[in-house]
Amino acid sequence: MTDGETGRVFRLAYVPGVTPAKWVSTWTERMPGVPVTLVAVPAAEVVGLLRNGGADAGFVRLPVDRDGLSVIPLYVETTVVVVPKDHAAAAADEVAVADLIDEEVFHPLDDTIEWTVRPGVPAFTRPATTADAVELVATGAGVLLVPQSLARLHHRRSLTYRPVPDAPQSQVALTWPTDATTDLVEEFIGIVRGRTVNSSRGRTPAAPAEKPAQRQAQKPAQISSGRRAAPAGRKSKGRRPR
């Protein structure tokens, strides 16, 4: 951390279902002078927040409009179907998209899954949010497909969920405005990528301190008398007669 960073705050946005705790914990250990402000934001609003300077970086769900943004894909989530506990799908270990062909499937306006063809039959309404859709599933009005983390986030005792392996999946990524790639952003990128505290952040050549040693290793070793030592792997034959 440079003197210019002292007293600054790193603003990190995240969408529902993403848990940034492990990365924030590492940041707190490495950057004790720069606190993190977490900004919870709906998935549909996170890109606008970043472009307007409301956060330094953010965890988003792909796809997003990447214009002016740098994006590092991180991980892919399993898609699950949320159903009442007495639904037939609850008896299975997993469900195929084809199994839902006759089901009324809610498609909330904040859906984070990119569908080519939506499964099942469109439900009677499009809820504004995933949370609203879960409420409707609890009434028995239909089912809902979401990333697993969102099913956990909106858990209700009367509901359960099952994996849908052949459904499209949601990918979580770290993103930030490309023209605002500050040292703090670089530091957080390193943390997310698992770099150690001594690792280069990519702005300087890797391990510059090793170069002199590498050059020295390429030169023949010298002994105190000024004669060259025998090459590695060759047995010494003793002194030649003068």
Side-chain angles (χ1 to χ4, degrees), residues 60-122:
V60 304
R61 291 186 185 275
L62 300 180
V64 295
D65 179 1
R66 300 192 181 200
D67 185 31
L69 299 177
S70 295
V71 177
I72 300 176
L74 298 176
Y75 60 89
V76 175
E77 282 198 70
T78 298
T79 297
V80 301
V81 59
V82 181
V83 297
K85 285 187 175 179
D86 59 359
H87 192 281
D93 292 331
E94 58 184 38
V95 177
V97 169
D99 297 333
L100 304 173
I101 189 170
D102 296 324
E103 296 285 346
E104 290 195 28
V105 179
F106 289 108
H107 182 220
L109 296 177
D110 66 352
D111 188 10
T112 59
I113 298 174
E114 191 172 26
W115 296 98
T116 303
V117 178
R118 296 191 185 101
V121 178

Side-chain angles (χ1 to χ4, degrees), residues 31 33 103 214:
M31 307 287 286
E103 296 285 346
Q214 291 170 352

Side-chain angles (χ1 to χ4, degrees), residues 28-240:
T28 301
E29 293 175 1
R30 295 186 187 179
M31 307 287 286
V34 183
V36 175
T37 296
L38 293 176
V39 184
V41 58
E45 299 176 15
V46 64
V47 169
L49 180 77
L50 291 168
R51 288 185 175 139
N52 292 332
D56 299 296
F59 291 107
V60 304
R61 291 186 185 275
L62 300 180
V64 295
D65 179 1
R66 300 192 181 200
D67 185 31
L69 299 177
S70 295
V71 177
I72 300 176
L74 298 176
Y75 60 89
V76 175
E77 282 198 70
T78 298
T79 297
V80 301
V81 59
V82 181
V83 297
K85 285 187 175 179
D86 59 359
H87 192 281
D93 292 331
E94 58 184 38
V95 177
V97 169
D99 297 333
L100 304 173
I101 189 170
D102 296 324
E103 296 285 346
E104 290 195 28
V105 179
F106 289 108
H107 182 220
L109 296 177
D110 66 352
D111 188 10
T112 59
I113 298 174
E114 191 172 26
W115 296 98
T116 303
V117 178
R118 296 191 185 101
V121 178
F124 67 93
T125 185
R126 287 199 66 184
T129 67
T130 297
D132 292 338
V134 171
E135 295 280 350
L136 290 170
V137 173
T139 69
V143 302
L144 173 68
L145 287 98
V146 291
Q148 183 169 297
S149 66
L150 290 182
R152 290 174 175 169
L153 177 67
H154 300 294
H155 173 71
R156 294 174 65 100
R157 290 184 180 181
S158 62
L159 302 178
T160 188
Y161 59 85
R162 294 292 181 269
V164 186
D166 60 341
Q169 297 176 312
S170 173
Q171 187 169 31
V172 173
L174 176 68
T175 186
W176 66 96
T178 302
D179 60 1
T181 308
T182 64
D183 287 343
L184 293 183
V185 171
E186 288 278 10
E187 190 72 39
F188 192 74
I189 292 169
I191 289 171
V192 169
R193 283 181 162 170
R195 296 177 189 150
T196 64
V197 66
N198 295 320
S199 296
S200 166
R201 288 184 287 179
R203 291 192 171 186
T204 56
E210 295 181 2
K211 290 185 178 180
Q214 291 170 352
R215 289 197 296 267
Q216 182 65 29
Q218 293 170 358
K219 294 181 179 180
Q222 303 292 322
I223 58 177
S224 59
S225 64
R227 299 188 182 94
R228 291 186 178 182
R234 184 182 298 175
K235 295 182 179 179
S236 175
K237 296 182 180 180
R239 292 185 178 180
R240 296 181 179 179

